[in-house]
Amino acid sequence: MKNKPTVLIIEDDVALNEAYVTILKTAYENVFTAFNGEEALQVAEQHNPDVIFLDLRMPVMDGIGFLESYQPKEKHPDVHIVVFSNYDMQAEVDKAYDLGAERYVLKALATPSSLLKIVNDLS
Amino acid sequence: MTKETNSVLNFKELFRSLETAYIVFDANDPVFTVIEENEAHARIAMVERDSVIGKPVLEAFPDTSEEYLTKGVSRLLESFRKVIKTGQPDTMPDLSYDLKDHSGKMTTKFWEVTHYPVFEDGKVIAICQQTSDITEKTLARRELTIAQDQLERALDYSEVGTWMWNLDEDKVLADKNLVKLFGIGDGSKQMEVPLSELTKRVHPDDAGRVKESITKALTKKSSSYESEYRTYDNEGNIRWLLARGHVEVDKTGKPVRFPGLVVDITKRKIAEKSLHILAKANTQFSASLGYRQTLDAIASMIVPDVADWCSIDILENGKIEQVAIAHKDPEKVKWAKELRAKQGPVSIDAENGSALVIRTGKIEHTPVVTDEMLVAAAKNKKELKLLRDLDIHSVITVPLKIDGITIGVITFISTESHRHYDANDVEIAQGLANRAALAVYNANLFQDAKTEIDERKKLQDRLEKFNSVLEDRVKKRTLQLEKTNKGLQNEIERRHKLESQRVQHYIDLNKTKDDFISLASHQLRTPATGVKQYVGMILEGMAGEISEMQRSYLQKAYESNERQLTIVSDLLKVAQVDAGKVRIRPKMIDLSELLTDVIKEQQDTYAARKQDVRFVAPSFKAIAYADPDKMRMVLENMIDNASKYSDPGKAIRVSITNHDEAITVSIKDNGVGVAPEDIEKLFEKFNRIHNHLSDHVGGTGLGLYWAKKVVDLHGGTIKVTSTLGKGSTFSVCLPKNSDIAKTTVKIGE
């Protein structure tokens, strides 16, 4: 783990995406964003993130689709993936865990400071 | 040898060789010495000539007759003397001698001897005996005599009569039996009578037939004769006879003699008649006849062959009723019926024969009815005259019995037939009575059966009518039922359809609900989350300095937004748990760490309320088997509740206790408390307990409901102890490992 972790935010809601970037940029330099899974795969390929905040419900490619292609267990064992979603249907969350997600955080509960703390804890 | 000597010698030789047996005795000798014997005599006398000649007669041929041995009288010597005295030959027809044959065996010989006198000078000087052996002839005759004796005795015994009709003289020699059977004498001796004496004794009804048979036999149409007919015997009884004879003719073919015999077949005839009646009774007595008709028919059959009169009397209601009376003459029947009608029914106690037999059940048999009996039986002179006129000869009264009970009698009376009933007749009468009783029994049975059948038929008709009414009703009902059934079936089908529509509707609805939950969680939360992040950024100083007033207002906005998020969260969580969509991912977690973290995270909130919320860490490592995220939410919720429902300044203590298999987290507050009756309500959906803080807290009433469901999923329990106004303790008991988690653990275990 680098001293300054690279964080990837995958969030389709523009306002939230901007909010998270703003919050994380107060503490970390390398913060990248993507608005769907497909885009995220390209960004991840380019920037090799250390921590990924992954929304589940997204257009084009959703969070599960991203995990299936990204294959964190097999190909990116060192990347911390935090499922960051308001969509808390158990089945879908379970599937994300199975595919290699490390934590699940309900977006509605996260505060700006808790967001920073998560990255800090994982780094 | 002289001429004379020669002639004597020749004579002697001739004498000796004669086929006829001769022996010559000396008539001048008192012991009648044997002078000469020829060969033939020696042969039949079984002696040697030499041993006989010169011997006295009784020495040569000893007299073994009883007469000689007992009285000393020799019939042989007597015959000799008679011949000497009379000078005439004398014949002894059967002289018997017991002789020894050559083998020494004694044998009896029968001889026929003739003694001839031999004269010289007018004087008998010798006796010449001519002897014939008649042994075989004599024995045969004796046997014949015995056979004849036996035959005669047999004829006597069998009552077979014989006749010999000499046609030339028209004399019939009738033996004793025949005499008796035809009633022409007392039967002590045979009689010789003209044929007409016999034919006039034949029953008038049969006379013509007999005459015809005799003529037929004599005219050679048939030389043998056979006929059955009735005669009157010397007691006046009718006898049935079977006659058989044979016409003998002379050389010219002219009939000369007509011998034959007759056999008494009266018993056979009556027996035959009875048998015939019985047979007829068996086949012809229809059970459909009333018993009176049946008995009438029986009585009619009995006369005149078995009896001249036949009366059948039946016991009815203690009175003896004459139900049948029969005689061959209808006029006499009419007369008898009128007589009886005049007399009226006879009482069972009466002294007459019928009543007696009914009472005793025993046969009354009077073989010969005497005038004294009639006198004794008659009640008055008129009746005596009547009885005498009837000319009663013999009576049999037999009981009619059914199952051993006498129901009446049959009376057989002999009048003009002059018969005297014997034991044989009693037997026949008994047989007929049995048959009659059976007929009565059958007739009664038939009547009973017929009555029963009629009754049954009536019943059956009624039943059939009833049945058809029932059937109609059943048909109508069935139709109604079928309609009803059809209606019901349609209704069931309709309901099934409705039900499946409803189920489909619910499935659809549920889908809609899930979709709604999904939509709500995303669509409702995301904007609120945006508010939370931006307001949070300002409050956390990421947008620079803000005034106190700005902070205060933003804080209120932030909290409102928080409440909205909580409501959405609670609704979603409950919806998920109710839908069974919540699954836990338990693992071994350190409760001390978890609780420290939870309390630390909310420390600012508690501080704002001036509450001392503290985790009292245990000395042991508190490991539970639980889903870390879910258990975190459960404990957060419960500690938050303790804080919310406690006034500012109150202390809250969180502690852990260890048990064998479980581990318990206790959250003790000094808050408002819960009334005992409300404790159960705490865990009900949307149920909020009202107190002075509840309005301010403004929860959804879903937090504890969800928490309990989640703890249940862990195999754990939640327990509450509380005193209203003083505070509560909420305890969460969790299993220590996966094995225990399979069962529900409780506090205190």
PDB file of all heavy atoms in Angstrom, chain B residues 339-368:
ATOM      1  N   LEU B 339    -128.798 -89.078   9.657  1.00  0.00           N
ATOM      2  CA  LEU B 339    -128.828 -89.671  11.000  1.00  0.00           C
ATOM      3  C   LEU B 339    -127.849 -88.950  11.923  1.00  0.00           C
ATOM      4  O   LEU B 339    -128.179 -88.572  13.042  1.00  0.00           O
ATOM      5  CB  LEU B 339    -128.460 -91.157  10.890  1.00  0.00           C
ATOM      6  CG  LEU B 339    -128.616 -91.977  12.171  1.00  0.00           C
ATOM      7  CD1 LEU B 339    -130.104 -92.155  12.511  1.00  0.00           C
ATOM      8  CD2 LEU B 339    -127.942 -93.340  12.021  1.00  0.00           C
ATOM      9  N   ARG B 340    -126.667 -88.755  11.384  1.00  0.00           N
ATOM     10  CA  ARG B 340    -125.627 -88.100  12.185  1.00  0.00           C
ATOM     11  C   ARG B 340    -126.000 -86.654  12.497  1.00  0.00           C
ATOM     12  O   ARG B 340    -125.748 -86.147  13.582  1.00  0.00           O
ATOM     13  CB  ARG B 340    -124.300 -88.158  11.422  1.00  0.00           C
ATOM     14  CG  ARG B 340    -123.102 -87.646  12.195  1.00  0.00           C
ATOM     15  CD  ARG B 340    -122.746 -88.587  13.338  1.00  0.00           C
ATOM     16  NE  ARG B 340    -121.637 -88.056  14.100  1.00  0.00           N
ATOM     17  CZ  ARG B 340    -120.424 -88.601  14.113  1.00  0.00           C
ATOM     18  NH1 ARG B 340    -120.180 -89.699  13.452  1.00  0.00           N
ATOM     19  NH2 ARG B 340    -119.467 -88.055  14.823  1.00  0.00           N
ATOM     20  N   ALA B 341    -126.598 -85.999  11.496  1.00  0.00           N
ATOM     21  CA  ALA B 341    -127.013 -84.612  11.674  1.00  0.00           C
ATOM     22  C   ALA B 341    -128.035 -84.509  12.805  1.00  0.00           C
ATOM     23  O   ALA B 341    -127.998 -83.579  13.601  1.00  0.00           O
ATOM     24  CB  ALA B 341    -127.609 -84.068  10.381  1.00  0.00           C
ATOM     25  N   LYS B 342    -128.919 -85.505  12.864  1.00  0.00           N
ATOM     26  CA  LYS B 342    -129.927 -85.530  13.935  1.00  0.00           C
ATOM     27  C   LYS B 342    -129.266 -85.673  15.299  1.00  0.00           C
ATOM     28  O   LYS B 342    -129.640 -85.039  16.262  1.00  0.00           O
ATOM     29  CB  LYS B 342    -130.895 -86.708  13.714  1.00  0.00           C
ATOM     30  CG  LYS B 342    -132.140 -86.327  12.924  1.00  0.00           C
ATOM     31  CD  LYS B 342    -133.118 -87.497  12.916  1.00  0.00           C
ATOM     32  CE  LYS B 342    -133.735 -87.702  11.541  1.00  0.00           C
ATOM     33  NZ  LYS B 342    -134.368 -89.025  11.420  1.00  0.00           N
ATOM     34  N   GLN B 343    -128.250 -86.547  15.311  1.00  0.00           N
ATOM     35  CA  GLN B 343    -127.561 -86.801  16.591  1.00  0.00           C
ATOM     36  C   GLN B 343    -126.742 -85.600  17.039  1.00  0.00           C
ATOM     37  O   GLN B 343    -126.528 -85.381  18.215  1.00  0.00           O
ATOM     38  CB  GLN B 343    -126.638 -88.015  16.449  1.00  0.00           C
ATOM     39  CG  GLN B 343    -127.407 -89.321  16.335  1.00  0.00           C
ATOM     40  CD  GLN B 343    -126.499 -90.489  16.041  1.00  0.00           C
ATOM     41  OE1 GLN B 343    -125.417 -90.314  15.477  1.00  0.00           O
ATOM     42  NE2 GLN B 343    -126.928 -91.686  16.415  1.00  0.00           N
ATOM     43  N   GLY B 344    -126.254 -84.830  16.076  1.00  0.00           N
ATOM     44  CA  GLY B 344    -125.408 -83.670  16.400  1.00  0.00           C
ATOM     45  C   GLY B 344    -123.987 -84.107  16.705  1.00  0.00           C
ATOM     46  O   GLY B 344    -123.685 -85.306  16.736  1.00  0.00           O
ATOM     47  N   PRO B 345    -123.094 -83.118  16.919  1.00  0.00           N
ATOM     48  CA  PRO B 345    -121.683 -83.460  17.169  1.00  0.00           C
ATOM     49  C   PRO B 345    -121.546 -84.274  18.443  1.00  0.00           C
ATOM     50  O   PRO B 345    -122.304 -84.102  19.381  1.00  0.00           O
ATOM     51  CB  PRO B 345    -121.008 -82.091  17.331  1.00  0.00           C
ATOM     52  CG  PRO B 345    -122.005 -81.082  16.885  1.00  0.00           C
ATOM     53  CD  PRO B 345    -123.350 -81.701  17.011  1.00  0.00           C
ATOM     54  N   VAL B 346    -120.549 -85.146  18.455  1.00  0.00           N
ATOM     55  CA  VAL B 346    -120.322 -86.007  19.615  1.00  0.00           C
ATOM     56  C   VAL B 346    -119.289 -85.349  20.523  1.00  0.00           C
ATOM     57  O   VAL B 346    -118.302 -84.787  20.050  1.00  0.00           O
ATOM     58  CB  VAL B 346    -119.808 -87.385  19.151  1.00  0.00           C
ATOM     59  CG1 VAL B 346    -119.526 -88.290  20.347  1.00  0.00           C
ATOM     60  CG2 VAL B 346    -120.826 -88.031  18.224  1.00  0.00           C
ATOM     61  N   SER B 347    -119.542 -85.402  21.817  1.00  0.00           N
ATOM     62  CA  SER B 347    -118.586 -84.813  22.766  1.00  0.00           C
ATOM     63  C   SER B 347    -117.352 -85.709  22.874  1.00  0.00           C
ATOM     64  O   SER B 347    -117.439 -86.929  22.745  1.00  0.00           O
ATOM     65  CB  SER B 347    -119.238 -84.673  24.140  1.00  0.00           C
ATOM     66  OG  SER B 347    -118.241 -84.440  25.104  1.00  0.00           O
ATOM     67  N   ILE B 348    -116.213 -85.093  23.131  1.00  0.00           N
ATOM     68  CA  ILE B 348    -114.954 -85.821  23.310  1.00  0.00           C
ATOM     69  C   ILE B 348    -115.048 -86.772  24.500  1.00  0.00           C
ATOM     70  O   ILE B 348    -114.370 -87.787  24.566  1.00  0.00           O
ATOM     71  CB  ILE B 348    -113.773 -84.819  23.478  1.00  0.00           C
ATOM     72  CG1 ILE B 348    -112.425 -85.535  23.662  1.00  0.00           C
ATOM     73  CG2 ILE B 348    -114.001 -83.891  24.670  1.00  0.00           C
ATOM     74  CD1 ILE B 348    -111.885 -86.159  22.432  1.00  0.00           C
ATOM     75  N   ASP B 349    -115.944 -86.442  25.453  1.00  0.00           N
ATOM     76  CA  ASP B 349    -116.080 -87.272  26.648  1.00  0.00           C
ATOM     77  C   ASP B 349    -117.027 -88.447  26.437  1.00  0.00           C
ATOM     78  O   ASP B 349    -117.264 -89.234  27.349  1.00  0.00           O
ATOM     79  CB  ASP B 349    -116.592 -86.423  27.821  1.00  0.00           C
ATOM     80  CG  ASP B 349    -115.650 -85.263  28.083  1.00  0.00           C
ATOM     81  OD1 ASP B 349    -114.433 -85.502  28.040  1.00  0.00           O
ATOM     82  OD2 ASP B 349    -116.138 -84.140  28.310  1.00  0.00           O
ATOM     83  N   ALA B 350    -117.585 -88.553  25.236  1.00  0.00           N
ATOM     84  CA  ALA B 350    -118.580 -89.590  24.985  1.00  0.00           C
ATOM     85  C   ALA B 350    -117.971 -90.986  25.155  1.00  0.00           C
ATOM     86  O   ALA B 350    -116.765 -91.162  25.133  1.00  0.00           O
ATOM     87  CB  ALA B 350    -119.165 -89.438  23.589  1.00  0.00           C
ATOM     88  N   GLU B 351    -118.895 -91.947  25.300  1.00  0.00           N
ATOM     89  CA  GLU B 351    -118.457 -93.312  25.560  1.00  0.00           C
ATOM     90  C   GLU B 351    -118.223 -94.085  24.273  1.00  0.00           C
ATOM     91  O   GLU B 351    -117.820 -95.240  24.305  1.00  0.00           O
ATOM     92  CB  GLU B 351    -119.506 -94.032  26.416  1.00  0.00           C
ATOM     93  CG  GLU B 351    -119.432 -93.667  27.896  1.00  0.00           C
ATOM     94  CD  GLU B 351    -118.075 -93.971  28.504  1.00  0.00           C
ATOM     95  OE1 GLU B 351    -117.545 -95.083  28.302  1.00  0.00           O
ATOM     96  OE2 GLU B 351    -117.510 -93.067  29.168  1.00  0.00           O
ATOM     97  N   ASN B 352    -118.538 -93.478  23.145  1.00  0.00           N
ATOM     98  CA  ASN B 352    -118.443 -94.266  21.910  1.00  0.00           C
ATOM     99  C   ASN B 352    -116.992 -94.422  21.438  1.00  0.00           C
ATOM    100  O   ASN B 352    -116.071 -93.807  21.974  1.00  0.00           O
ATOM    101  CB  ASN B 352    -119.349 -93.699  20.812  1.00  0.00           C
ATOM    102  CG  ASN B 352    -118.755 -92.477  20.129  1.00  0.00           C
ATOM    103  OD1 ASN B 352    -117.655 -92.053  20.455  1.00  0.00           O
ATOM    104  ND2 ASN B 352    -119.500 -91.932  19.201  1.00  0.00           N
ATOM    105  N   GLY B 353    -116.811 -95.253  20.438  1.00  0.00           N
ATOM    106  CA  GLY B 353    -115.477 -95.653  19.963  1.00  0.00           C
ATOM    107  C   GLY B 353    -114.610 -94.491  19.518  1.00  0.00           C
ATOM    108  O   GLY B 353    -113.451 -94.385  19.900  1.00  0.00           O
ATOM    109  N   SER B 354    -115.182 -93.584  18.727  1.00  0.00           N
ATOM    110  CA  SER B 354    -114.397 -92.468  18.197  1.00  0.00           C
ATOM    111  C   SER B 354    -113.788 -91.628  19.314  1.00  0.00           C
ATOM    112  O   SER B 354    -112.599 -91.324  19.313  1.00  0.00           O
ATOM    113  CB  SER B 354    -115.279 -91.572  17.317  1.00  0.00           C
ATOM    114  OG  SER B 354    -115.831 -92.325  16.277  1.00  0.00           O
ATOM    115  N   ALA B 355    -114.649 -91.262  20.272  1.00  0.00           N
ATOM    116  CA  ALA B 355    -114.182 -90.417  21.377  1.00  0.00           C
ATOM    117  C   ALA B 355    -113.092 -91.121  22.165  1.00  0.00           C
ATOM    118  O   ALA B 355    -112.084 -90.511  22.544  1.00  0.00           O
ATOM    119  CB  ALA B 355    -115.361 -90.073  22.294  1.00  0.00           C
ATOM    120  N   LEU B 356    -113.279 -92.417  22.364  1.00  0.00           N
ATOM    121  CA  LEU B 356    -112.310 -93.204  23.125  1.00  0.00           C
ATOM    122  C   LEU B 356    -110.955 -93.216  22.425  1.00  0.00           C
ATOM    123  O   LEU B 356    -109.909 -92.997  23.048  1.00  0.00           O
ATOM    124  CB  LEU B 356    -112.843 -94.643  23.283  1.00  0.00           C
ATOM    125  CG  LEU B 356    -112.003 -95.563  24.189  1.00  0.00           C
ATOM    126  CD1 LEU B 356    -112.131 -95.128  25.639  1.00  0.00           C
ATOM    127  CD2 LEU B 356    -112.447 -97.014  24.017  1.00  0.00           C
ATOM    128  N   VAL B 357    -111.007 -93.449  21.132  1.00  0.00           N
ATOM    129  CA  VAL B 357    -109.746 -93.503  20.366  1.00  0.00           C
ATOM    130  C   VAL B 357    -109.058 -92.137  20.345  1.00  0.00           C
ATOM    131  O   VAL B 357    -107.845 -92.041  20.478  1.00  0.00           O
ATOM    132  CB  VAL B 357    -109.994 -94.025  18.931  1.00  0.00           C
ATOM    133  CG1 VAL B 357    -108.735 -93.907  18.085  1.00  0.00           C
ATOM    134  CG2 VAL B 357    -110.454 -95.473  18.981  1.00  0.00           C
ATOM    135  N   ILE B 358    -109.851 -91.088  20.213  1.00  0.00           N
ATOM    136  CA  ILE B 358    -109.262 -89.741  20.221  1.00  0.00           C
ATOM    137  C   ILE B 358    -108.604 -89.462  21.565  1.00  0.00           C
ATOM    138  O   ILE B 358    -107.522 -88.899  21.650  1.00  0.00           O
ATOM    139  CB  ILE B 358    -110.324 -88.662  19.879  1.00  0.00           C
ATOM    140  CG1 ILE B 358    -110.685 -88.776  18.396  1.00  0.00           C
ATOM    141  CG2 ILE B 358    -109.796 -87.262  20.182  1.00  0.00           C
ATOM    142  CD1 ILE B 358    -111.777 -87.845  17.944  1.00  0.00           C
ATOM    143  N   ARG B 359    -109.289 -89.901  22.640  1.00  0.00           N
ATOM    144  CA  ARG B 359    -108.749 -89.663  23.979  1.00  0.00           C
ATOM    145  C   ARG B 359    -107.475 -90.459  24.219  1.00  0.00           C
ATOM    146  O   ARG B 359    -106.507 -89.941  24.755  1.00  0.00           O
ATOM    147  CB  ARG B 359    -109.798 -90.011  25.045  1.00  0.00           C
ATOM    148  CG  ARG B 359    -110.898 -88.974  25.181  1.00  0.00           C
ATOM    149  CD  ARG B 359    -111.540 -89.028  26.564  1.00  0.00           C
ATOM    150  NE  ARG B 359    -112.084 -90.358  26.879  1.00  0.00           N
ATOM    151  CZ  ARG B 359    -113.306 -90.766  26.547  1.00  0.00           C
ATOM    152  NH1 ARG B 359    -114.120 -89.954  25.882  1.00  0.00           N
ATOM    153  NH2 ARG B 359    -113.729 -91.964  26.879  1.00  0.00           N
ATOM    154  N   THR B 360    -107.500 -91.736  23.810  1.00  0.00           N
ATOM    155  CA  THR B 360    -106.357 -92.602  24.134  1.00  0.00           C
ATOM    156  C   THR B 360    -105.290 -92.605  23.055  1.00  0.00           C
ATOM    157  O   THR B 360    -104.135 -92.871  23.327  1.00  0.00           O
ATOM    158  CB  THR B 360    -106.815 -94.066  24.332  1.00  0.00           C
ATOM    159  OG1 THR B 360    -107.378 -94.513  23.091  1.00  0.00           O
ATOM    160  CG2 THR B 360    -107.852 -94.195  25.423  1.00  0.00           C
ATOM    161  N   GLY B 361    -105.699 -92.322  21.822  1.00  0.00           N
ATOM    162  CA  GLY B 361    -104.744 -92.378  20.703  1.00  0.00           C
ATOM    163  C   GLY B 361    -104.412 -93.805  20.318  1.00  0.00           C
ATOM    164  O   GLY B 361    -103.451 -94.049  19.600  1.00  0.00           O
ATOM    165  N   LYS B 362    -105.223 -94.778  20.817  1.00  0.00           N
ATOM    166  CA  LYS B 362    -104.950 -96.190  20.532  1.00  0.00           C
ATOM    167  C   LYS B 362    -106.023 -96.780  19.621  1.00  0.00           C
ATOM    168  O   LYS B 362    -107.191 -96.396  19.693  1.00  0.00           O
ATOM    169  CB  LYS B 362    -104.887 -96.988  21.833  1.00  0.00           C
ATOM    170  CG  LYS B 362    -103.577 -96.747  22.568  1.00  0.00           C
ATOM    171  CD  LYS B 362    -103.516 -97.516  23.865  1.00  0.00           C
ATOM    172  CE  LYS B 362    -102.198 -97.243  24.568  1.00  0.00           C
ATOM    173  NZ  LYS B 362    -102.224 -97.664  25.961  1.00  0.00           N
ATOM    174  N   ILE B 363    -105.581 -97.754  18.825  1.00  0.00           N
ATOM    175  CA  ILE B 363    -106.491 -98.383  17.869  1.00  0.00           C
ATOM    176  C   ILE B 363    -107.524 -99.240  18.602  1.00  0.00           C
ATOM    177  O   ILE B 363    -107.203 -99.947  19.550  1.00  0.00           O
ATOM    178  CB  ILE B 363    -105.693 -99.271  16.890  1.00  0.00           C
ATOM    179  CG1 ILE B 363    -104.733 -98.412  16.091  1.00  0.00           C
ATOM    180  CG2 ILE B 363    -106.618-100.067  15.973  1.00  0.00           C
ATOM    181  CD1 ILE B 363    -103.653 -99.182  15.367  1.00  0.00           C
ATOM    182  N   GLU B 364    -108.789 -99.148  18.148  1.00  0.00           N
ATOM    183  CA  GLU B 364    -109.843-100.024  18.656  1.00  0.00           C
ATOM    184  C   GLU B 364    -110.177-101.023  17.547  1.00  0.00           C
ATOM    185  O   GLU B 364    -110.530-100.640  16.428  1.00  0.00           O
ATOM    186  CB  GLU B 364    -111.090 -99.193  18.990  1.00  0.00           C
ATOM    187  CG  GLU B 364    -111.019 -98.510  20.322  1.00  0.00           C
ATOM    188  CD  GLU B 364    -111.187 -99.486  21.482  1.00  0.00           C
ATOM    189  OE1 GLU B 364    -112.248-100.143  21.573  1.00  0.00           O
ATOM    190  OE2 GLU B 364    -110.238 -99.617  22.292  1.00  0.00           O
ATOM    191  N   HIS B 365    -110.057-102.311  17.877  1.00  0.00           N
ATOM    192  CA  HIS B 365    -110.300-103.335  16.873  1.00  0.00           C
ATOM    193  C   HIS B 365    -111.297-104.355  17.415  1.00  0.00           C
ATOM    194  O   HIS B 365    -111.049-104.994  18.425  1.00  0.00           O
ATOM    195  CB  HIS B 365    -108.958-104.023  16.510  1.00  0.00           C
ATOM    196  CG  HIS B 365    -109.145-105.180  15.567  1.00  0.00           C
ATOM    197  ND1 HIS B 365    -108.278-106.257  15.565  1.00  0.00           N
ATOM    198  CD2 HIS B 365    -110.062-105.438  14.598  1.00  0.00           C
ATOM    199  CE1 HIS B 365    -108.671-107.127  14.642  1.00  0.00           C
ATOM    200  NE2 HIS B 365    -109.753-106.639  14.047  1.00  0.00           N
ATOM    201  N   THR B 366    -112.427-104.428  16.755  1.00  0.00           N
ATOM    202  CA  THR B 366    -113.423-105.426  17.153  1.00  0.00           C
ATOM    203  C   THR B 366    -113.579-106.410  15.989  1.00  0.00           C
ATOM    204  O   THR B 366    -114.288-106.114  15.020  1.00  0.00           O
ATOM    205  CB  THR B 366    -114.783-104.757  17.472  1.00  0.00           C
ATOM    206  OG1 THR B 366    -114.539-103.639  18.317  1.00  0.00           O
ATOM    207  CG2 THR B 366    -115.731-105.728  18.141  1.00  0.00           C
ATOM    208  N   PRO B 367    -112.901-107.565  16.072  1.00  0.00           N
ATOM    209  CA  PRO B 367    -112.939-108.508  14.939  1.00  0.00           C
ATOM    210  C   PRO B 367    -114.341-109.032  14.669  1.00  0.00           C
ATOM    211  O   PRO B 367    -114.760-109.143  13.528  1.00  0.00           O
ATOM    212  CB  PRO B 367    -112.008-109.638  15.374  1.00  0.00           C
ATOM    213  CG  PRO B 367    -111.177-109.074  16.492  1.00  0.00           C
ATOM    214  CD  PRO B 367    -112.035-108.058  17.159  1.00  0.00           C
ATOM    215  N   VAL B 368    -115.059-109.332  15.747  1.00  0.00           N
ATOM    216  CA  VAL B 368    -116.410-109.858  15.566  1.00  0.00           C
ATOM    217  C   VAL B 368    -117.364-109.052  16.448  1.00  0.00           C
ATOM    218  O   VAL B 368    -117.186-108.964  17.651  1.00  0.00           O
ATOM    219  CB  VAL B 368    -116.499-111.360  15.979  1.00  0.00           C
ATOM    220  CG1 VAL B 368    -117.930-111.861  15.809  1.00  0.00           C
ATOM    221  CG2 VAL B 368    -115.512-112.184  15.168  1.00  0.00           C
TER     222      VAL B 368
END
